[in-house]
Amino acid sequence: MKKLYLLGLATALACSPALAADQATAGSSKDAFITDLLGRMTLDEKIGQLRLISIGPEMTHEQIAKEIAAGHIGGTFNSVTRPENRPMQDAAMNSRLKIPMFFAYDVIHGHRTIFPIGLGLASSWDMDAIGLSARTAAREAAADSLDMTFGPMVDISRDPRWGRSSEGFGEDTYLVSRIAKVMVQGYQGKDVSAPDSIMAAVKHFALYGGVEGGRDYNTVDMSPNRMYQDYLPPYRAALDAGAGGVMVALNSINGVPATSNTWLMQDLLRRDWGFKGLTVSDHGAILELVKHGVARDGREAAKLAIHAGIDLSMNDMVYGAELPGLVKSGEVPEAEIDNAVREVLSAKYDMGLFADPYRRLGKAAEDPADTNAESRLHREESRSVARRSMVLLKNAGNTLPLKKAGTIAVIGPLADAPIDMMGSWSAAGQPTQSVTLLRGIREAVGNQAQVVYAKGANVTNDRNSVAFLNRIIFDRTEVEIDPRPAQEMIDEALKAAANADVIVAAVGESRGMSHESASRTTLEIPPPQRALLTALRATGKPLVLVLMNGRPLSLVRENEEADAMLETWFSGTEGGHAIADLLFGDYNPSGKLPVTFPRSVGQVPMYYSHLTIGRPFTPGKAGNYTSQYFDEDTSPLFPFGYGLSYTTFDVSDVRLSADRIKRGDTLKASVTVRNSGKRDGETVVQLYLHDVTASMARPIKELKNFQKVFLKAGERKEVTFTLSEDDLKFYNIKLEYAAEPGDFDVQIGLDSQDVKQARFELL
Ligand code: BGC
């Protein structure tokens, strides 16, 4: 214990602000520390460090403690309280070398206080708000003794059939990369070893969002150009921001599973990107190499994974069992094990655990009496971020904002659904603490208006879907199905609506529908809810849809039936309050879509930045041999970047500081934005670029920058962007990243379609 203490002190000094400037000293003392420790470890102890164990029914707590004390486990995940984790750290302190454990969890959009899902956070286009969500989550997670999160999830997704679209930040490389950075900074804080910071392990490396057909875990086949240009940059952005870890994807890439992919893990990640941190397999992924058909058995799977560079085996089934034999037979050089162990120890060092293994566990006497206590939540933060995450899709005749007067009928299966409010990765969030829409509306109006409620429909009546949804998340009943006939429920809703001045209908998906392994073949709101909406429309009363869903939905019919539509995603613990803030105009909607909303699933994949083609569709010339679907409008229903406000904005023509630039020059592009309406409000001014002629087909436009601006009613503001040669670069056919001379169109506007354009030339 004494030795550990002294080493810990040396570590603490090396990390202290006074010495922080001297990176070399800190680095070398860390290296020396780890080299010394490694030199004292047996092979079994080394392999033990590579095992990450899920706390669950597979192993009892007593067994786990025994294994830890024997030096056979490096870290655990899925246990989220200090009293649960402390005995495990105590067991580690009783092991021969006293190497501390670390505790990890999927802190994806909040920990105890739940924030909007990834797509919601991204809809804010507000880096401060997104950063605040991560920082708050880190504080709460660290206070619960967690050291690491498996996040942020930055998989680009252009296929809304994929249920994990909900977790990520949308379709756009630039926006997702910006968010990756602030998420990592939020989790890790200024210093990842701080007691209120947790280490970020960015996932899922790589290209998981490209699964064929949007079917989870499916194969990914992608050209190198698309990878480098569109799908890889967000992971890189997270690493550049200092993420300490990388979680490796479950999918294969052009036939080679990520988990055994030496190109991905060695050539790209370690060699080209210079990543020095920790890699962790996804849950059970190493053994899955057998199912992928690249390993004969667990033994070969372990060999492939360690050889590719997987340090930690998540929910380990094969490292512990197979690596000792593989090393003894000489099939795996001990140096490969040492490399992996070095990275695990190094991450523990960076998390401050050698300096103080109880850094985030604290003292038992100070454990919260009630881990779920209200006082431990950050409701204000959650509400303020949630307000920013919602997108006003339609507002005919200024139906919104509503008056706090008269009678409001709140209808729909998601109107009073506390579990669904929290979204798919709700970490340690408690449904009993989440504010539903019904409660939010009731509290907003107080006694100024009457609120009536009816469920009106089940989320779905499809038995297979219900069985699936009630199995998907911890085998828990998520979706309560009302056994009454659909018509009886609709009639009840119509009765409730009969005396109402306005109907607010909460419809969409239950949270399990947009979740891991929850892929869909349709993007429509399920039939019983659609039938309910049609019946509500027939009342002739103003109909406001509050949409809750974790993927872009196809909303053609709803867009015709509803007077107003507000996309709220799954908005978290304070969702109901935040939605009410928007419905009643206490907050003016400012969110913008981070994904394209197609009209139908048949248009998928549909994303705004597609490459130029030889026969583009020209609206109005439908009969021509051009790229289109003849049975559906070729445009999306709502484009990327779209979102309305209770006020209106207009944007002037684009002014450029030059119409020709040389390499190394910068160019300023400006517009004047005016709030032309009667309310104060915020909007997102977006800048897109199009490389007109290049050595390869280039995207019709690509987001390169944006600014969120607040304008008082009637106010004007000049918004200026600076473009540099870097903004013009792309990966050419040889995968060189370079700008090519020629014309570029600069487009600035309030969504990806509604833009003003000017041209300049790179000489
Ligand atoms: C998911 C990961 C997650 C892990 C641990 C896996 O099934 O793919 O995203 O981090 O489980 O919960």
Side-chain angles (χ1 to χ4, degrees):
M1 196 67 190
K2 190 157 177 221
K3 177 138 196 205
L4 179 88
Y5 170 76
L6 288 175
L7 284 169
L9 189 65
T11 312
L13 286 175
C15 297
S16 77
L19 292 179
D22 191 350
Q23 286 293 323
T25 315
S28 65
S29 82
K30 170 170 140 181
D31 286 351
F33 172 82
I34 291 170
T35 304
D36 169 67
L37 182 53
L38 204 53
R40 290 184 287 122
M41 292 170 79
T42 63
L43 180 62
D44 268 6
E45 283 166 340
K46 289 178 186 173
I47 292 169
Q49 284 303 306
L50 309 184
R51 302 184 66 223
L52 177 64
I53 299 300
S54 170
I55 302 296
E58 299 93 19
M59 235 197 245
T60 62
H61 279 87
E62 293 73 45
Q63 253 174 310
I64 289 174
K66 245 193 232 157
E67 296 262 327
I68 294 171
H72 290 162
I73 295 181
T76 65
F77 65 113
N78 284 344
S79 56
V80 291
T81 63
R82 289 157 55 144
E84 271 180 287
N85 288 336
R86 188 173 295 103
M88 292 196 267
Q89 196 65 296
D90 292 344
M93 291 304 108
N94 283 327
S95 67
R96 192 177 75 89
L97 291 171
K98 308 187 191 320
I99 299 173
M101 292 279 294
F102 75 90
F103 306 105
Y105 196 41
D106 291 286
V107 177
I108 305 298
H109 52 102
H111 178 60
R112 292 212 169 268
T113 314
I114 303 305
F115 286 84
I117 58 165
L119 278 182
L121 291 174
S123 298
S124 74
W125 296 56
D126 183 328
M127 297 306 123
D128 293 339
I130 296 170
L132 176 69
S133 78
R135 188 85 282 273
T136 309
R139 286 211 172 101
E140 290 184 355
D144 272 348
S145 72
L146 298 174
D147 305 298
M148 185 190 284
T149 175
F150 305 128
M153 189 282 212
V154 300
D155 303 325
I156 294 286
S157 167
R158 295 174 174 179
D159 192 331
R161 290 172 294 183
W162 192 47
R164 301 197 82 167
S165 306
S166 58
E167 273 174 71
F169 303 108
E171 73 183 43
D172 182 64
T173 310
Y174 176 78
L175 180 59
V176 179
S177 300
R178 289 271 303 261
I179 296 174
K181 179 177 168 188
V182 294
M183 287 297 290
V184 170
Q185 290 171 340
Y187 287 137
Q188 299 196 161
K190 287 202 178 69
D191 174 2
V192 68
S193 74
D196 66 351
S197 291
I198 55 174
M199 184 174 272
V202 61
K203 68 189 183 186
H204 302 84
F205 190 66
L207 321 181
Y208 188 16
V211 284
E212 257 180 28
R215 202 165 71 244
D216 209 359
Y217 318 123
N218 206 359
T219 196
V220 175
D221 204 296
M222 194 181 283
S223 75
N225 287 82
R226 177 168 284 184
M227 276 184 208
Y228 276 78
Q229 192 64 37
D230 296 351
Y231 281 71
L232 291 173
Y235 308 108
R236 178 70 196 265
L239 299 182
D240 288 347
V246 167
M247 181 188 285
V248 179
L250 292 161
N251 53 280
S252 64
I253 296 172
N254 298 342
V256 183
T259 306
S260 62
N261 198 317
T262 52
W263 164 76
L264 181 74
M265 311 263 296
Q266 302 288 352
D267 301 354
L268 182 70
L269 182 66
R270 302 282 186 197
R271 187 193 65 202
D272 297 351
W273 291 5
F275 178 63
K276 301 249 180 323
L278 173 86
T279 57
V280 51
S281 76
D282 201 341
H283 205 281
I286 300 180
L287 194 54
E288 285 171 22
L289 292 175
V290 177
K291 294 220 174 109
H292 273 289
V294 299
R296 248 187 324 271
D297 50 23
R299 182 179 168 88
E300 197 176 4
K303 183 173 151 185
L304 288 175
I306 192 83
H307 182 61
I310 301 277
D311 300 334
L312 271 173
S313 165
M314 179 184 273
N315 203 30
D316 181 52
M317 286 171 270
V318 288
Y319 268 13
E322 305 293 355
L323 287 180
L326 284 164
V327 174
K328 272 172 210 133
S329 70
E331 286 166 85
V332 168
E334 190 158 347
E336 275 184 11
I337 307 281
D338 286 356
N339 278 340
V341 176
R342 187 174 279 282
E343 275 148 20
V344 174
L345 297 178
S346 176
K348 290 185 174 183
Y349 188 103
D350 292 343
M351 291 185 273
L353 292 168
F354 284 109
D356 179 4
Y358 294 88
R359 199 172 204 80
R360 300 182 183 86
L361 279 159
K363 296 194 179 69
E366 288 159 16
D367 284 355
D370 171 11
T371 41
N372 296 324
E374 261 302 310
S375 58
R376 303 187 79 216
L377 300 187
H378 294 86
R379 289 191 178 275
E380 264 315 302
E381 288 83 346
S382 174
R383 182 170 179 166
S384 87
V385 174
R387 301 196 315 181
R388 289 169 165 74
S389 72
M390 296 169 185
V391 186
L392 183 62
L393 297 175
K394 179 177 182 186
N395 194 17
N398 292 329
T399 307
L400 293 175
L402 302 177
K403 291 191 189 63
K404 292 178 185 169
T407 299
I408 302 166
V410 180
I411 310 280
L414 294 163
D416 198 22
I419 296 183
D420 296 304
M421 290 314 279
M422 300 194 302
S424 66
W425 287 90
S426 54
Q430 299 299 313
T432 46
Q433 290 176 316
S434 72
V435 179
T436 66
L437 175 64
L438 179 61
R439 186 174 140 202
I441 290 183
R442 283 204 169 121
E443 289 182 12
V445 301
N447 53 16
Q448 300 173 75
Q450 210 202 333
V451 177
V452 290
Y453 162 74
K455 184 169 174 183
N458 287 316
V459 166
T460 170
N461 286 331
D462 178 64
R463 277 174 189 221
N464 291 336
S465 301
V466 172
F468 172 82
L469 295 169
N470 284 339
R471 216 173 39 226
I472 177 93
I473 306 179
F474 305 129
D475 258 339
R476 170 165 85 188
T477 301
E478 289 261 325
V479 183
E480 302 266 6
I481 295 301
D482 193 317
R484 287 178 295 165
Q487 192 54 48
E488 195 178 319
M489 294 176 76
I490 290 179
D491 289 344
E492 186 184 62
L494 291 175
K495 205 167 147 211
N499 297 319
D501 299 296
V502 60
I503 302 169
V504 176
V507 291
E509 300 182 305
S510 67
R511 68 167 186 167
M513 288 179 169
S514 283
H515 192 268
E516 183 178 342
S517 106
S519 301
R520 292 184 67 192
T521 59
T522 159
L523 302 176
E524 287 176 359
I525 292 179
Q529 299 185 66
R530 290 188 55 152
L532 170 68
L533 291 180
T534 303
L536 293 174
R537 167 73 292 168
T539 63
K541 309 219 177 224
L543 178 61
V544 176
L545 298 199
V546 170
L547 296 159
M548 297 185 194
N549 46 281
R551 50 160 62 81
L553 296 176
S554 53
L555 299 166
V556 172
R557 198 163 113 188
E558 291 73 12
N559 192 38
E560 280 162 12
E561 285 175 349
D563 297 290
M565 295 201 292
L566 182 66
E567 177 57 77
T568 70
W569 310 109
F570 296 116
S571 49
T573 305
E574 278 291 302
H577 285 147
I579 300 170
D581 288 341
L582 270 74
L583 291 179
F584 296 104
D586 296 323
Y587 181 81
N588 188 354
S590 64
K592 300 277 190 172
L593 294 178
V595 275
T596 302
F597 272 43
R599 291 171 189 275
S600 93
V601 74
Q603 293 176 312
V604 166
M606 182 171 236
Y607 52 95
Y608 82 93
S609 59
H610 61 83
L611 297 186
T612 47
I613 53 169
R615 294 188 178 189
F617 171 70
T618 314
K621 290 197 173 178
N624 283 356
Y625 284 83
T626 60
S627 187
Q628 63 185 301
Y629 297 102
F630 70 81
D631 58 352
E632 178 60 280
D633 195 316
T634 301
S635 64
L637 182 62
F638 299 115
F640 175 83
Y642 171 86
L644 303 172
S645 160
Y646 295 151
T647 187
T648 48
F649 298 95
D650 54 44
V651 178
S652 71
D653 286 339
V654 178
R655 300 181 292 276
L656 298 181
S657 59
D659 47 22
R660 285 167 172 209
I661 60 165
K662 296 195 298 296
R663 285 181 192 280
D665 286 355
T666 55
L667 175 91
K668 288 201 186 318
S670 322
V671 289
T672 306
V673 185
R674 183 172 68 105
N675 180 339
S676 48
K678 293 196 176 64
R679 282 171 175 265
D680 302 349
E682 256 182 314
T683 190
V684 181
V685 186
Q686 303 159 35
L687 181 141
Y688 297 87
L689 267 187
H690 170 54
D691 188 346
V692 181
T693 313
S695 57
M696 297 177 71
R698 302 283 297 119
I700 60 156
K701 61 183 74 188
E702 284 173 296
L703 184 71
K704 289 291 175 182
N705 210 335
F706 59 85
Q707 286 180 38
K708 196 156 187 180
V709 292
F710 175 84
L711 292 173
K712 289 195 168 312
E715 195 187 349
R716 284 166 205 269
K717 216 174 242 175
E718 171 150 325
V719 176
T720 300
F721 298 96
T722 304
L723 288 165
S724 73
E725 189 184 333
D726 265 353
D727 296 309
L728 315 181
K729 289 182 178 169
F730 68 99
Y731 288 94
N732 65 22
I733 199 71
K734 293 184 194 149
L735 292 181
E736 297 155 342
Y737 191 56
E740 296 180 1
D743 286 344
F744 290 83
D745 289 333
V746 183
Q747 304 181 349
I748 302 182
L750 302 180
D751 66 48
S752 59
Q753 287 185 351
D754 174 19
V755 290
K756 300 280 176 62
Q757 178 171 313
R759 183 169 283 196
F760 72 93
E761 186 185 357
L762 174 69
L763 295 172

